[in-house]
Amino acid sequence: MALNPSRSAVSATCKVLRRCGSSSQSVVQRLGQPVRQLSTSASRRNEAVETTPEQEKRPRWSYTPERMKGPGFSINVVKDPSRTIWHNNEDPAKLDAMYMRLLGSKGDRMLPDEIKWLAVTHKSFDQGRRGFNTRLAYFGRLIVSLETTRHILVTPAAAEDSPIQDPFNREPFQHSALANVDKLNIKQPMDVASKEKIAKLAIDVGLPEVTRWKPRMPEHLEGSGFIAVLNTSLFAIVGAISLQHGAETAQQVVREKILRRLGA
């Protein structure tokens, strides 16, 4: 007798499910198959975009892809229209001159044209639609940090940097493999290759004139991250050279073209 209520409840539930299934099938038969509006409209939009032979011959760095362009308007309200005006370099000869000042007489031949432009393109330029140098800069920053640390370890310590005599005449543990590690207690890689020093080197070789970016405040470049942008571009060049020619070439560039100019 105790199972009768549960059995009646199960039978009632089954009847409701049958009615719902039959009603849903009848609705599908009346309405027909569903239409995927989003995929259809996207395919039509892609089919409408056509490129002319002249557009196909343009280098990738010189234009924004047609399919990455928006509807022609922006929802952002510009408070100061004068801040939207900013001109970037579009002259390949000017870019090559910067690479030669930085890397030497044949520095403009070390990287392909697309990579040369990508290395000096910040993510703020053209909303990042032409590619940007963030990942190259991350890789190059690690290479510069490694070479700077190695330079500190192999450089002989100055007399004033010698360890202080222990007042209790205790002798610390000595080992040839750890002889140079204590130098990092006196000097860090950030002291040799600081952001300010890297930015000054970038200014000396003319990197600000060819770096493509959009400052938030054109009237106040330092407040818009001018130093960080220059560091990113210089590190990106090192990362691109390492990917193009290997780690040994990138390490040589860092030692001879960057650390030596920083006075290391």
Side-chain angles (χ1 to χ4, degrees), residues 45-71:
R45 184 173 63 253
N46 293 337
E47 293 175 357
V49 177
E50 296 181 358
T51 57
T52 61
E54 291 77 8
Q55 293 177 344
E56 293 179 355
K57 294 180 181 178
R58 293 180 298 176
R60 174 66 179 83
W61 57 265
S62 63
Y63 69 97
T64 302
E66 299 295 332
R67 294 182 181 180
M68 295 189 69
K69 293 182 179 179

Side-chain angles (χ1 to χ4, degrees), residues 37-157:
Q37 297 291 340
L38 293 178
S39 61
T40 304
S41 60
S43 61
R44 291 178 179 176
R45 184 173 63 253
N46 293 337
E47 293 175 357
V49 177
E50 296 181 358
T51 57
T52 61
E54 291 77 8
Q55 293 177 344
E56 293 179 355
K57 294 180 181 178
R58 293 180 298 176
R60 174 66 179 83
W61 57 265
S62 63
Y63 69 97
T64 302
E66 299 295 332
R67 294 182 181 180
M68 295 189 69
K69 293 182 179 179
F73 61 89
S74 176
I75 61 175
N76 296 328
V77 179
V78 181
K79 297 181 180 179
D80 189 358
S82 63
R83 290 184 172 179
T84 61
I85 301 175
W86 182 260
H87 301 284
N88 289 280
N89 175 56
E90 297 292 340
D91 186 8
K94 194 173 183 179
L95 181 67
D96 291 341
M98 185 279 300
Y99 274 101
M100 286 188 291
R101 286 192 295 268
L102 175 63
L103 303 176
S105 59
K106 297 182 180 180
D108 57 328
R109 305 178 186 177
M110 295 191 67
L111 297 173
D113 291 339
E114 294 294 337
I115 305 301
K116 287 192 295 186
W117 286 98
L118 180 64
V120 297
T121 301
H122 191 256
K123 60 184 177 181
S124 61
F125 174 73
D126 196 17
Q127 306 296 325
R129 294 180 294 184
R130 303 191 198 182
F132 47 89
N133 57 8
T134 301
R135 287 181 289 184
L136 287 176
Y138 175 76
F139 186 37
R141 183 180 293 107
L142 296 179
I143 297 174
V144 174
S145 177
L146 174 62
E147 287 303 312
T148 307
T149 304
R150 186 178 299 174
H151 170 76
I152 295 174
L153 295 179
V154 300
T155 302

Side-chain angles (χ1 to χ4, degrees), residues 80 82-86 88 122-125 195 199 211-233:
D80 189 358
S82 63
R83 290 184 172 179
T84 61
I85 301 175
W86 182 260
N88 289 280
H122 191 256
K123 60 184 177 181
S124 61
F125 174 73
K195 291 183 178 181
T211 296
R212 301 197 296 181
W213 70 304
K214 174 60 180 68
R216 183 173 59 90
M217 299 178 292
E219 71 280 1
H220 185 31
L221 296 181
E222 187 175 355
S224 301
F226 179 63
I227 294 178
V229 170
L230 293 182
N231 278 259
T232 300
S233 296

Side-chain angles (χ1 to χ4, degrees), residues 1-23:
M1 297 297 294
L3 298 177
N4 290 334
S6 61
R7 291 179 178 176
S8 61
V10 171
S11 61
T13 303
C14 294
K15 292 179 181 179
V16 173
L17 292 176
R18 293 194 196 98
R19 292 177 182 176
C20 293
S22 60
S23 61

